[in-house]
Amino acid sequence: MENRKNDYIWHPCTQMKDHEDFPLVMADRAEGVWIYDKEGKPYLDIISSWWCTLFGHNNPRINRAVKKQLDKIEHVIFAGFTHEPAEELCRRLAGLLPRGLEKFFFVDNGSTAVECAMKMSFQYHRQTGHPEKQRFMTLAGGYHGETLGALSMGGMDYYSRMFQSLLLPAIHVPGPDCYRCPYGKHRDSCQAECIEGAEKVFEEYGEETTAFLIEPMFQGAAGMRIYSPVYLQKLRKLCDRYNVNLIADEIAAGYGRTGKLFACEHAGISPDFMCLSKGLTGGYLPMAMTVTTAKIYDAFYADFNEKKAFVHSTTYSGNPLACAAAVEVLNILEEEEPLQHTEAEYLTSELKAALEGHKNVGEIRSIGLINAIELVEDKGTKKAFDPEKRVGYEIYKEAMGRGLLLRPMGDVPYFNPPLNIKKQEIDRAIEICRESIEAVLG
Ligand SMILES: *Cc1c(COP(=O)(O)O)cnc(C)c1O
């Protein structure tokens, strides 16, 4: 028992008191999927250190690119100046993103990218004759970040409950819930019947709505809740009908996590805004982007005195070191084609073989290399565990003891490893995951 009341550091999303009997790991160095502590104990990082290290820690190519940039220019004000790493990054990304996304606004974290999209969409409608459009819609169970605007759009009690009275009044549309589908369908074959929840809300509020914000293909923080691409196709049509901007939050889903470079590709749709971060710099530096179309951009393009500019800035906008890392990520994607060579199928089939039969495994769902294990008290009724039992947290502790960084969301342990994880590493992770689940649940 070590009292943490004298600590200097207040860690994110953490009850510090938990660390009285479970010490923080002093990370010393890292390589590939491995993080080593001061004593040299390895931890297999199966969650890409909060979903961002795209090609593993200490990647030699990204290291080299950042070091090279460091000797040229570390940072420059991004108003009145531009630089080659940023220009190259956007020029190349425009050719990779879904059709029409070609205007790039730089910020330094995902939550801010979401808020920029909201502000741009709001201002766009004002400047195109629709001041009545003041509302935002989003899906229940979504996660879009922690700053107040982004938090307002999130639909997870755990993060927002405390701050309800401070939040913007977003409309939370009941979204897909495929494990417990009320229509008795399956996500692989349904017609997204649950879109009717959105249809009703659009009928009532569509005309007053600015934008619909969604995590395409899966709701990450809700427990990697994967849903049908048909939902996105139908939502795109609804947005078109009501002149509502579609904002795709690809902060978690982008950069190959779902098996395609961007999750919207599964549905063949283009959003009006896309938010990127996490994998964008390979997990090296804090950078994010709000990407939009020429149509939106043009509504802001005018003489200064028309007062149509987007008045928003972030100190570290377009940081050259972060851009250099992001350009190298594109080089790796193009030259090494990691998306064509992932072990996604192997991971899913091995994980199912190891755990599908367990009495508490309700569902193992996967998209790309993301695999999530929904643990339930009763498989037949799909009854969840009492959250106060903290089943996921107990599994986390067991796994850490065995050298696996597995950090369940609630009672959903999941894998979201670097795209270049190898078979032996997958084997090791699954073995420890199974042992840890069995240690807690039998
Ligand atoms: C992580 C995340 C965010 C927030 O990004 P931060 O950089 O942590 O602010 C927003 N949306 C999604 C889907 C995320 O996964």
Side-chain angles (χ1 to χ4, degrees), residues 51 109-112 114 143-146 215 249 251-252 277-278:
W51 318 356
N109 68 82
S111 309
T112 307
V114 167
Y143 179 88
H144 300 285
E146 312 278 13
E215 292 165 90
D249 176 352
I251 292 166
S277 190
K278 296 202 164 109

Side-chain angles (χ1 to χ4, degrees), residues 20-38:
E20 281 185 359
D21 56 6
F22 192 69
L24 287 153
V25 178
M26 187 65 80
D28 189 47
R29 62 191 180 87
E31 196 168 334
V33 294
W34 300 98
I35 304 170
Y36 299 88
D37 73 8
K38 285 284 247 199

Side-chain angles (χ1 to χ4, degrees), residues 24-89:
L24 287 153
V25 178
M26 187 65 80
D28 189 47
R29 62 191 180 87
E31 196 168 334
V33 294
W34 300 98
I35 304 170
Y36 299 88
D37 73 8
K38 285 284 247 199
E39 282 73 47
K41 175 179 171 181
Y43 294 86
L44 203 169
D45 180 359
I46 203 67
I47 62 163
S48 299
S49 277
W50 262 343
W51 318 356
C52 59
T53 53
L54 198 62
F55 303 121
H57 296 277
N58 209 355
N59 182 282
R61 289 191 62 165
I62 307 177
N63 283 11
R64 231 178 294 130
V66 174
K67 284 176 187 167
K68 197 169 154 210
Q69 182 59 38
L70 187 58
D71 284 329
K72 290 182 89 176
I73 187 163
E74 80 302 332
H75 186 64
V76 61
I77 177 173
F78 209 50
F81 285 83
T82 187
H83 51 77
E84 191 46 45
E87 294 286 340
E88 181 181 353
L89 175 62

Side-chain angles (χ1 to χ4, degrees), residues 62 65-66 69 85 280-282 284-285 320-330:
I62 307 177
V66 174
Q69 182 59 38
L280 175 63
T281 64
Y284 266 62
L285 287 148
L321 296 174
C323 289
V327 167
E328 192 59 20
V329 165
L330 295 186

